[in-house]
C-alpha cells in the first residue's frame, strides 16, 4: 500500500508536489472516482488515472537484459558485477531477477519488481519453455534427441528431468529447449551424457525473445505484450 501522491510519483516523472497539485485540481481518479486526499492509501488492484489516462502501476517494472558472461544474476556478490548493477534504474534494490543464469552463461535475463509475475514465470510448476544455444565440447551423437526426449537423470537426483528437445545447428552446437530450472541443469544434462557444455546463451523464455538490438550488457523495458504473455 502506497500513499496516492507517492504512487503517482513512483509511476510517472511527476514529483510528489506535482501529484498533490493535480489531485487538488481534481484530475486524478481512483477507480473512476475523483481523488481528493493525497495521503489516501492505494493498492495494486486500483486503477489510477490522470486526466483520464491510466498510469502504470507503481513499482511494476519489467526489463530484459542481455547478460554478458562474467556477470552474476544473484542480487549481491562481493567479487563480481551483478546484472542489476548494469541497470541504471531508480529503486534498483527493489528489482529481482526472474530466472537465474550462471555467471558464465549469457543472454536473456528478465528483471522485475513484480513478485507475482516473477513467481508465475519461475515457479517449478509454471513450465515456461526456455531456449538456449549450447556449444558442446564433443560432437553430438545420433542418440541425443531420444535421450533428451525421455528425460536425462542428473547425478544426485532421484527423478529424471522433464523431456527436452534439441535443434541441431552443427555437430557442436544445438538449440536446447527445457521447461524446468534445476540448478546448473544444462551443464549437468551434458555431463550425464559424457559431454561438456562449453557455453550457454539463453535467447527465449516463454514467448519473450531476446531483442537482437541489445548488445551484451544492454537492457530495455518489456513491451506491455511481453509482460502480458506471462499469465
Ligand atoms: N543451465 C545451466 O547449467 N546454466 C544456466 O545458466 C542455465 C541453465
Amino acid at each position: 500500500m502506497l500513499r496516492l501522491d507517492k504512487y503517482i510519483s513512483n509511476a510517472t516523472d511527476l514529483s510528489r508536489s506535482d501529484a498533490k497539485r493535480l489531485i487538488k485540481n481534481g484530475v486524478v481518479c481512483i477507480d473512476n472516482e475523483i481523488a481528493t486526499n493525497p495521503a489516501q492509501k492505494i493498492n495494486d488492484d486500483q486503477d489510477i488515472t490522470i486526466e483520464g489516462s491510466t498510469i502504470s502501476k507503481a513499482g511494476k517494472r519489467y526489463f530484459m537484459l542481455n547478460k554478458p558472461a562474467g556477470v552474476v544474476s544473484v542480487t549481491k556478490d562481493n567479487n563480481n558485477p551483478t546484472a542489476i548493477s548494469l541497470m541504471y534504474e531508480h529503486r534498483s534494490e527493489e528489482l529481482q531477477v526472474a530466472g537465474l543464469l550462471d555467471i558464465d552463461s549469457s543472454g536473456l535475463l528478465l528483471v522485475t519488481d513484480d513478485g507475482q509475475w516473477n513467481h508465475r514465470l519461475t515457479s517449478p510448476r509454471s513450465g515456461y519453455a526456455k531456449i538456449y544455444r549450447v556449444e558442446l565440447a564433443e560432437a553430438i551423437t545420433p542418440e541425443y534427441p531420444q535421450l533428451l526426449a525421455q528425460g536425462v537423470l542428473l547425478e544426485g537426483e532421484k527423478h529424471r528431468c522433464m523431456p527436452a528437445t534439441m535443434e541441431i545447428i552443427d555437430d557442436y552446437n544445438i538449440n536446447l529447449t527445457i521447461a524446468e530450472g534445476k540448478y546448473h541443469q544444462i551443464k549437468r544434462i551434458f555431463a550425464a551424457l559424457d559431454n561438456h557444455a562449453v557455453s550457454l546463451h539463453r535467447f527465449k523464455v516463454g514467448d519473450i525473445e531476446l531483442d537482437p538490438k541489445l548488445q551484451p550488457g544492454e537492457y530495455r523495458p518489456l513491451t506491455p505484450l511481453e509482460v502480458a504473455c506471462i499469465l
Side-chain angles (χ1 to χ4, degrees), residues 5-33:
D5 52 355
K6 178 97 170 58
Y7 186 107
I8 293 172
S9 72
N10 282 357
T12 66
D13 289 337
L14 300 166
S15 65
R16 270 172 88 169
S17 49
D18 289 336
K20 285 193 179 120
R21 193 169 34 79
L22 290 171
I23 295 163
K24 207 165 157 206
N25 291 349
V27 295
V28 176
C29 287
I30 305 171
D31 294 335
N32 294 324
E33 302 264 320

Side-chain angles (χ1 to χ4, degrees), residues 101-102 105 132 184-187 200:
L101 280 175
D102 294 339
S105 301
Y132 296 80
H184 293 330
Q185 181 159 346
I186 297 178
K187 290 176 182 156
L200 290 180

Side-chain angles (χ1 to χ4, degrees), residues 5-119:
D5 52 355
K6 178 97 170 58
Y7 186 107
I8 293 172
S9 72
N10 282 357
T12 66
D13 289 337
L14 300 166
S15 65
R16 270 172 88 169
S17 49
D18 289 336
K20 285 193 179 120
R21 193 169 34 79
L22 290 171
I23 295 163
K24 207 165 157 206
N25 291 349
V27 295
V28 176
C29 287
I30 305 171
D31 294 335
N32 294 324
E33 302 264 320
I34 293 176
T36 50
N37 177 6
Q40 179 171 342
K41 290 286 194 313
I42 301 300
N43 66 48
D44 279 342
D45 301 327
Q46 286 173 304
D47 184 39
I48 311 301
T49 58
I50 300 178
E51 292 177 340
S53 307
T54 297
I55 58 171
S56 63
K57 285 182 177 157
K60 300 292 184 257
R61 295 172 289 165
Y62 309 85
F63 303 98
M64 67 163 74
L65 168 74
N66 184 358
K67 183 184 106 55
V71 167
V72 292
S73 43
V74 290
T75 325
K76 284 210 175 72
D77 188 292
N78 290 335
N79 303 313
N80 301 288
T82 66
I84 290 174
S85 73
L86 303 179
M87 303 180 59
Y88 301 98
E89 292 298 317
H90 298 299
R91 297 177 287 119
S92 63
E93 69 286 354
E94 292 169 16
L95 293 171
Q96 316 151 355
V97 166
L100 300 177
L101 280 175
D102 294 339
I103 184 166
D104 51 354
S105 301
S106 60
L108 177 58
L109 196 69
L110 296 169
V111 178
T112 184
D113 54 10
D114 182 343
Q116 289 176 1
W117 189 87
N118 189 341
H119 179 73

